[in-house]
Amino acid sequence: MIQKLIENIKKTNAPVVVGLDPMLAYIPDSITKAAFSEYGETLEGAAEAVWQYNKKIVDAVYDLIPAVKPQIAMYEQFGLPGLAAFKKTVDYCKSKELVVIGDVKRGDIGSTSAAYAAAHLGSVRVGSQMLTPFGEDFATVNPYLGIDGIKPFLDVCREEKKGIFVLVKTSNPSSGEFQDQLIADTSSREGNAQNAFGQRPLYELVGEKVAEWADTCMGDTYSYVGAVVGATYPEMGKVLRRVMPKSFILVPGYGAQGGKAEDLVHYFNEDGLGAIVNSSRGIIAAYKQEKYASFGADHFAEASRAAVVDMIEDIRHALETRSC
Amino acid sequence: MIQKLIENIKKTNAPVVVGLDPMLAYIPDSITKAAFSEYGETLEGAAEAVWQYNKKIVDAVYDLIPAVKPQIAMYEQFGLPGLAAFKKTVDYCKSKELVVIGDVKRGDIGSTSAAYAAAHLGSVRVGSQMLTPFGEDFATVNPYLGIDGIKPFLDVCREEKKGIFVLVKTSNPSSGEFQDQLIADTSSREGNAQNAFGQRPLYELVGEKVAEWADTCMGDTYSYVGAVVGATYPEMGKVLRRVMPKSFILVPGYGAQGGKAEDLVHYFNEDGLGAIVNSSRGIIAAYKQEKYASFGADHFAEASRAAVVDMIEDIRHALETRSC
């Protein structure tokens, strides 16, 4: 699937991913009203509104982008109907040839982690049948439990040619609370951020482990194993780019969270690949921004398309003018 | 809900929790065959088998125990029908007055974390309605993203009187890969595990943060905010007991993973409370152990009851004979 991601990026010349993280507050009244009149003010009604909203956005932008990233929490909050809308969204995006990154941030151990890997990337045996539960192409994974939590995902990645993005340095303000803790540096790798006392931050060790895991799951040029590094910490991104040379970096935090295109160029390798930048609210709720307000709520999907065009242009321009 | 957990523990005199982590391989053929003949070898068929299996175990043990801990991954692997079986299990256990700990290990940031908190512990607004998506009493939460990921759960805990167990030191072999990394010690707390170089492990910092968060979410004597500390690391459990005096510790790893009752007494406070020990496979698949094999597959639920009785006796005995 890393090959398809790379092909899609080359085809669109757009290393971006649209985060399908719908909140009811984003969805225009016309859609919500229609859904509620059919299903009532129920979880089913909310899920129908989410699905209709997603579908219109995907229809408006799919030809411009290589991938989407539905955030499962936004569906899980609407219970079983919400998760049915998640599944419909995954299937629909795949039918449009988009690579689907399930932003599920799962992480457990042993057979439990294997169950998550089967749920999101693989298949499950029921009697004589092999069945596909959710069927995303990539999933995000939390590393706090160590390799016991990652290995079952690696096994599925190799078997199904799927991929993962491991949380390394997240984009939120408090990500440093644990991720930036300085630990003793026993590494011999070059170019890391060790200080005068031979210490380096935890996220760098996590990055090194990602690089090790990545080596065991290679596609042609990049690994099935990628990493999440927030756009809001560009200096750390620069270091982590070197630490994980064969991993794609999934970059949240562009736009609404403050990450700027010129800061993100260092997340890319010299081949122009190796990173994919996510925007969620900035795209799917574009019509609520002053810049795109003239589209109006009824033309929210066209506003999303305009925002995607602007985002791609912004990142292309930064990449073309970067000083290496 | 921490009050109800304490009441249930006192009523049963049993600080134990049964992990409802069904795998198809555990489920007797008679149940699986009946489910497949009704629904086919489908996700629905698997989910029906899981639900029937759970129901019989809960019916056999609910009067002995204060709480259950369904592991959502084991349901998620069967897709939407699996998650419907999860919801049915949660509802059924609540109808039996059991406290339900959703072992979901979710963790994200901001509005996404709020969506997970609503999904599992709270409610979600749809139009004029407030609806309950999954409705567990407690949820397990991953701390890797820092307070940004925890705060939305704390808000819901206060509002709904629900609770969380934050992963601090997990029971798996590789949990030390990141959790045991030595970091600079800037703490002034007594009794921690700092070494001669003023360093201490990351899990201890996470434990201190749990203690801080716990202080802001107090029930009568214990906090809504608990921690997960594996039974397989008793020395660390001893330290963490002191670091988080007001938190209940959820202890996985007893039995099948190797944790012994005599090692677990230090996870409890002197009031005999403060910890709850989980066993999953050791209870729900008891009939597959030599010790309980004489029950036979058809009487698997009675084997589970016998295993619960033995586990409670084992832990009671260890607590009664502990030297403080």
Side-chain angles (χ1 to χ4, degrees):
Chain A
M1 206 42 74
I2 188 69
Q3 297 308 124
K4 180 166 180 191
L5 179 63
I6 292 170
E7 279 164 30
N8 277 9
I9 290 171
K10 286 181 173 168
K11 199 170 64 187
T12 55
N13 188 20
V16 304
V17 52
V18 170
L20 297 173
D21 308 0
M23 295 179 74
L24 283 185
Y26 299 166
I27 304 180
D29 282 348
S30 58
I31 290 182
T32 315
K33 273 187 188 157
F36 289 175
S37 84
E38 194 172 353
Y39 295 96
E41 291 181 343
T42 60
L43 296 175
E44 287 78 8
E48 173 67 12
V50 162
W51 158 241
Q52 292 298 339
Y53 177 65
N54 280 352
K55 186 173 177 301
K56 288 198 169 66
I57 291 170
V58 172
D59 285 342
V61 306
Y62 77 92
D63 59 313
L64 299 174
I65 58 173
V68 291
K69 182 176 74 64
Q71 165 53 260
I72 200 170
M74 293 304 176
Y75 303 81
E76 209 162 305
Q77 69 179 327
F78 299 118
L80 298 170
L83 288 159
F86 176 81
K87 172 84 172 105
K88 264 163 109 168
T89 300
V90 169
D91 290 345
Y92 190 69
C93 292
K94 284 166 75 176
S95 80
K96 295 286 187 185
E97 295 298 327
L98 291 163
V99 169
V100 178
I101 302 167
D103 197 353
V104 300
K105 296 191 178 67
R106 299 304 193 244
D108 211 293
I109 56 172
S111 59
T112 311
S113 204
Y116 278 133
H120 292 285
L121 301 178
S123 53
V124 65
R125 176 171 295 283
V126 177
S128 60
Q129 305 296 310
M130 291 301 292
L131 306 169
T132 302
F134 287 101
E136 300 103 297
D137 299 317
F138 285 83
T140 54
V141 178
N142 187 308
Y144 189 67
L145 294 91
I147 182 68
D148 297 331
I150 304 293
K151 188 177 175 303
F153 278 93
L154 300 184
D155 293 341
V156 172
C157 285
R158 282 188 209 101
E159 197 162 315
E160 309 264 353
K161 300 197 186 305
K162 298 289 183 86
I164 57 173
F165 291 99
V166 180
L167 303 186
V168 173
K169 173 67 189 172
T170 56
S171 61
N172 54 304
S174 80
S175 71
E177 199 163 9
F178 303 126
Q179 297 165 24
D180 292 3
Q181 288 294 324
L182 291 176
I183 60 173
D185 188 0
T186 54
S187 137
S188 60
R189 282 178 189 259
E190 303 256 322
N192 62 22
Q194 68 186 34
N195 65 16
F197 305 100
Q199 294 175 320
R200 64 191 168 142
L202 177 69
Y203 65 76
E204 203 176 293
L205 172 65
V206 179
E208 277 179 28
K209 291 287 172 182
V210 167
E212 275 176 31
W213 303 330
D215 282 342
T216 71
C217 288
M218 283 299 294
D220 292 346
T221 48
Y222 282 92
S223 173
Y224 301 152
V225 180
V228 174
V229 182
T232 41
Y233 300 102
E235 288 305 314
M236 301 178 185
K238 214 185 265 191
V239 172
L240 288 166
R241 174 67 291 164
R242 288 195 295 266
V243 170
M244 309 177 293
K246 292 168 186 164
S247 290
F248 253 76
I249 299 179
L250 171 63
V251 190
Y254 170 85
Q257 285 182 59
K260 289 186 171 44
E262 60 264 34
D263 292 332
L264 299 183
V265 295
H266 303 292
Y267 292 64
F268 290 82
N269 280 321
E270 284 176 28
D271 59 5
L273 292 169
I276 186 159
V277 181
N278 178 76
S279 179
S280 300
R281 192 175 41 190
I283 302 296
I284 67 173
Y287 78 100
K288 289 190 170 258
Q289 295 171 47
E290 205 181 319
K291 187 174 178 185
Y292 305 107
S294 62
F295 283 97
D298 285 346
H299 298 276
F300 70 95
E302 292 159 60
S304 294
R305 186 176 175 90
V308 167
V309 168
D310 289 346
M311 177 184 177
I312 292 171
E313 177 52 34
D314 186 34
I315 290 170
R316 270 187 206 153
H317 177 76
L319 280 171
E320 282 162 14
T321 58
R322 72 168 158 176
S323 51
C324 288
Chain B
M1 205 41 75
I2 188 68
Q3 296 308 124
K4 182 169 178 188
L5 179 62
I6 292 170
E7 279 164 30
N8 277 8
I9 291 172
K10 287 182 174 169
K11 201 169 62 187
T12 56
N13 188 20
V16 304
V17 52
V18 170
L20 297 172
D21 307 1
M23 297 181 70
L24 283 185
Y26 299 165
I27 303 180
D29 282 350
S30 58
I31 291 182
T32 316
K33 273 186 187 157
F36 290 175
S37 85
E38 193 172 354
Y39 295 96
E41 290 182 344
T42 59
L43 297 175
E44 287 77 9
E48 173 66 11
V50 162
W51 158 240
Q52 293 297 341
Y53 178 64
N54 280 352
K55 185 172 176 303
K56 287 199 170 65
I57 291 169
V58 172
D59 285 343
V61 305
Y62 77 92
D63 59 314
L64 299 175
I65 58 172
V68 292
K69 183 176 74 63
Q71 166 53 261
I72 200 169
M74 293 305 177
Y75 304 81
E76 208 163 307
Q77 69 178 327
F78 299 118
L80 298 171
L83 288 160
F86 176 81
K87 172 84 172 108
K88 263 163 108 167
T89 300
V90 170
D91 290 345
Y92 190 68
C93 293
K94 284 166 75 177
S95 81
K96 295 286 189 185
E97 295 298 327
L98 290 163
V99 169
V100 178
I101 302 167
D103 197 353
V104 299
K105 295 191 179 64
R106 300 304 193 243
D108 211 292
I109 55 173
S111 58
T112 311
S113 204
Y116 278 135
H120 293 286
L121 301 178
S123 53
V124 64
R125 176 171 294 284
V126 177
S128 61
Q129 305 295 311
M130 291 301 292
L131 305 169
T132 302
F134 287 102
E136 300 103 297
D137 299 316
F138 284 83
T140 54
V141 178
N142 188 307
Y144 190 66
L145 295 91
I147 182 67
D148 297 332
I150 304 293
K151 190 178 174 301
F153 278 93
L154 301 185
D155 294 341
V156 171
C157 285
R158 281 189 211 103
E159 197 163 317
E160 309 264 354
K161 300 196 185 305
K162 298 288 184 87
I164 56 173
F165 291 98
V166 180
L167 303 187
V168 173
K169 173 67 189 171
T170 57
S171 60
N172 55 305
S174 80
S175 70
E177 200 163 8
F178 303 126
Q179 297 165 25
D180 293 3
Q181 287 294 326
L182 291 176
I183 59 172
D185 188 359
T186 54
S187 137
S188 60
R189 283 180 189 258
E190 302 258 322
N192 62 22
Q194 67 185 32
N195 66 15
F197 305 100
Q199 293 174 320
R200 63 188 169 144
L202 177 68
Y203 65 76
E204 204 177 293
L205 173 65
V206 179
E208 277 178 28
K209 291 288 173 184
V210 167
E212 274 176 30
W213 302 331
D215 281 342
T216 70
C217 287
M218 283 299 294
D220 291 346
T221 49
Y222 282 91
S223 173
Y224 301 152
V225 180
V228 173
V229 182
T232 42
Y233 300 102
E235 288 305 314
M236 301 176 185
K238 216 186 263 192
V239 171
L240 288 166
R241 174 68 287 166
R242 287 195 294 267
V243 169
M244 309 176 291
K246 291 168 187 164
S247 289
F248 253 76
I249 300 179
L250 172 63
V251 191
Y254 170 86
Q257 283 183 58
K260 290 187 172 45
E262 60 264 33
D263 291 334
L264 299 183
V265 296
H266 303 292
Y267 293 63
F268 290 82
N269 280 322
E270 285 177 28
D271 59 4
L273 292 169
I276 187 159
V277 181
N278 179 75
S279 179
S280 299
R281 193 175 42 191
I283 303 296
I284 67 173
Y287 78 99
K288 290 190 171 257
Q289 296 171 46
E290 206 182 317
K291 186 174 177 186
Y292 305 106
S294 63
F295 283 97
D298 285 345
H299 298 276
F300 71 95
E302 292 160 60
S304 294
R305 185 176 175 91
V308 167
V309 168
D310 289 347
M311 177 186 178
I312 292 173
E313 177 50 35
D314 186 33
I315 289 170
R316 269 187 207 154
H317 177 74
L319 280 172
E320 282 162 12
T321 57
R322 71 167 157 175
S323 50
C324 289

